[in-house]
Amino acid sequence: MRLVIQRVSSAEVTIDNRQVAKIGNGLLILIGIRKGDDESRVRDLAKKCAEIRIFEDQAGKFNLSAIDVDAEAMVISQFTLYADTTHGRRPSFTEAEEPARARHLYERFIGHLQACGMPVKAGIFGERMLVALQNRGPVTIIMED
């Protein structure tokens, strides 16, 4: 599993000119699910996302987690995080999980984030989305397991 986590002031998802999700202060999490990923990876990375200390304390240090600052999460499925560009000019996505299993693990990831105490909004799995965000910092973390 590969995550791209961005600390945001706001983020929103639009599909066909209709806003489907919006958050304020929080984390935009792009999630790519690889063949072989399982429930334990999903659970562990969701917990790590909720607890990673990338929010600033009074001294400006990264000492606070999303839970500590009552942040929201926006989760977007993105199989293109497993693009293989080593051969030719067209990316291959053979490492990405099949859609049915990926959808299941994506939904479980959202459930685990919620179980950690985070309010979660999400894009719609498999849809073409417009994702707008204000990256605060900027802070972008790549997390893999």
Side-chain angles (χ1 to χ4, degrees):
M1 189 168 313
R2 185 172 291 154
L3 306 175
V4 175
I5 303 161
Q6 295 181 307
R7 186 180 72 179
V8 299
S9 295
S10 65
E12 68 179 86
V13 176
T14 304
I15 299 174
D16 295 328
N17 295 318
R18 181 178 59 88
Q19 184 185 81
V20 297
K22 182 176 183 174
I23 65 167
N25 182 51
L27 301 175
L28 173 66
I29 303 170
L30 306 175
I31 178 172
I33 299 170
R34 179 179 53 201
K35 289 180 181 171
D37 283 340
D38 60 21
E39 182 78 25
S40 68
R41 284 189 178 128
V42 168
R43 182 188 61 245
D44 293 346
L45 283 180
K47 185 175 189 299
K48 196 169 185 178
C49 282
E51 295 177 354
I52 191 168
R53 298 184 317 174
I54 60 172
F55 290 87
E56 296 158 339
D57 63 13
Q58 295 290 351
K61 303 282 186 197
F62 282 6
N63 280 325
L64 302 174
S65 71
I67 294 171
D68 295 331
V69 299
D70 295 322
E72 301 174 277
M74 169 86 69
V75 180
I76 306 292
S77 175
Q78 191 165 354
F79 77 95
T80 59
L81 291 177
Y82 277 102
D84 178 357
T85 59
T86 56
H87 303 292
R89 293 178 291 160
R90 182 177 178 196
S92 169
F93 301 102
T94 57
E95 284 190 60
E97 183 58 85
E98 298 299 321
R101 176 132 174 84
R103 179 189 303 262
H104 171 75
L105 292 174
Y106 166 77
E107 291 169 356
R108 296 298 297 146
F109 180 83
I110 292 169
H112 286 298
L113 271 179
Q114 291 169 327
C116 289
M118 289 196 69
V120 179
K121 304 277 179 64
I124 299 176
F125 186 92
E127 291 290 325
R128 294 185 189 273
M129 297 171 269
L130 293 176
V131 180
L133 66 130
Q134 282 192 311
N135 187 321
R136 191 162 50 87
V139 174
T140 301
I141 305 289
I142 297 171
M143 190 181 292
E144 291 189 73
D145 185 28

